[in-house]
Amino acid sequence: MVSASPTPDDFAKWAEFNGFMLSASHAGWIFRGQRMRQGMRQGLAGCESYGLRPKAGRADCLGLRDYDSSLERLIFETFKRKSVRLVDANDYSDLDWLALAQHHGVPTRLLDWSSNPLVAAWFAVNGGNMDNDCKIFAILVPGIMRNRALTNPFAATHVSYAQTTPSIERVFRQHGVFTIYPDPDRDWDPDAENVPMHRLTIPAANRSFFRRILGKFGLDHQRLMTDIDGIGADLALRYLTDQEVAP
């Protein structure tokens, strides 16, 4: 399949994205790319398509089952027990373990953000149904959220900001930071806490263009995922979309 030539709308949306980045250029801003998701329970509060909700609480939003904090904790402890032989984690806190679990697909109460808006854009436009729009969020983390920083993520009583040990390679490569949710089954509304936030929608029609341009900036699966799965995912994408394969 040969990629379509860029359109004037592609260039206009990229220019809008550059303006979005400049509007949030202060060091305190962090960014999140998010693909469309839809709540399946009709009328269920907090299940908006673009809600800021961690994975541990999305099963409830999708109508699969109610959120269960004891099950969330059991899944986490099982991940630690089964993974400890595979990871040099002598100095890991529970927050570090939870971040590692998050990056290997375990539902957690963490939500991924990045200090790099290009990384957030990459996560927005890659994966999922390419016929759906996606969105980039930017928030200016206030001092009160930074002061809530915890090493025990299960002790949070308010939405909190967290950074993990740099030894978690994926988090380091992705300039990753996290927000921690005491109630994972509820969407977080930064506006309700007077947290400055910007949003940018990337329509489905512009996603392929963004993906190609971000690839030129060196953002792809193999560089952001840092393992052999990332290499395989990147090459599979290039095969399916007829993108140039770098040496």
Side-chain angles (χ1 to χ4, degrees):
M1 178 177 64
V2 178
S3 300
S5 298
T7 67
D9 186 57
D10 286 329
F11 291 120
K13 181 55 68 172
W14 182 258
E16 184 181 354
F17 171 62
N18 278 270
F20 173 83
M21 289 193 291
L22 290 172
S23 72
S25 58
H26 185 277
W29 286 89
I30 60 175
F31 305 86
R32 173 174 173 77
Q34 191 163 298
R35 296 181 293 274
M36 173 76 81
R37 66 175 174 84
Q38 294 281 2
M40 293 171 61
R41 293 185 180 181
Q42 294 298 318
L44 182 62
C47 279
E48 294 86 356
S49 298
Y50 294 114
L52 293 172
R53 179 186 296 225
K55 194 174 181 179
R58 293 180 197 169
D60 175 67
C61 183
L62 295 173
L64 303 177
R65 58 165 180 77
D66 291 333
Y67 168 71
D68 183 340
S69 60
S70 61
L71 178 59
E72 179 201 359
R73 190 63 182 262
L74 175 62
I75 292 293
F76 170 63
E77 295 295 341
T78 302
F79 175 82
K80 281 203 301 183
R81 176 172 51 82
K82 293 193 171 190
S83 302
V84 68
R85 66 182 180 84
L86 304 172
V87 180
D88 181 11
N90 291 331
D91 60 345
Y92 275 20
S93 66
D94 271 357
L95 174 60
D96 295 325
W97 273 111
L98 205 63
L100 187 66
Q102 171 91 348
H103 279 273
H104 287 283
V106 178
T108 78
R109 61 181 51 208
L110 300 181
L111 207 58
D112 301 271
W113 298 77
S114 176
S115 59
N116 186 334
L118 296 172
V119 171
W122 186 89
F123 277 102
V125 302
N126 278 277
N129 187 340
M130 290 295 288
D131 293 330
N132 289 338
D133 297 348
C134 54
K135 205 170 193 102
I136 305 172
F137 293 93
I139 61 170
L140 180 59
V141 180
I144 188 171
M145 275 183 67
R146 292 182 182 273
N147 291 337
R148 293 172 188 162
L150 303 168
T151 56
N152 178 5
F154 297 97
T157 57
H158 298 82
V159 175
S160 305
Y161 169 86
Q163 292 178 286
T164 61
T165 175
S167 63
I168 303 177
E169 181 69 13
R170 280 194 182 186
V171 179
F172 177 76
R173 286 288 188 93
Q174 296 168 14
H175 303 263
V177 296
F178 300 93
T179 44
I180 308 171
Y181 292 76
D183 301 305
D185 57 335
R186 297 182 184 177
D187 282 5
W188 179 46
D189 180 9
D191 292 331
E193 297 189 24
N194 296 315
V195 175
M197 178 168 67
H198 297 165
R199 305 172 181 86
L200 175 70
T201 298
I202 301 176
N206 304 122
R207 286 178 61 175
S208 293
F209 175 75
F210 267 66
R211 196 159 61 182
R212 293 200 302 274
I213 294 298
L214 291 168
K216 295 296 184 183
F217 281 103
L219 284 94
D220 54 32
H221 288 88
Q222 61 180 306
R223 291 175 178 85
L224 293 176
M225 300 307 177
T226 72
D227 56 23
I228 197 166
D229 287 341
I231 295 172
D234 182 57
L235 292 174
L237 176 63
R238 292 173 186 277
Y239 175 80
L240 293 171
T241 59
D242 197 31
Q243 294 185 48
E244 179 182 353
V245 178

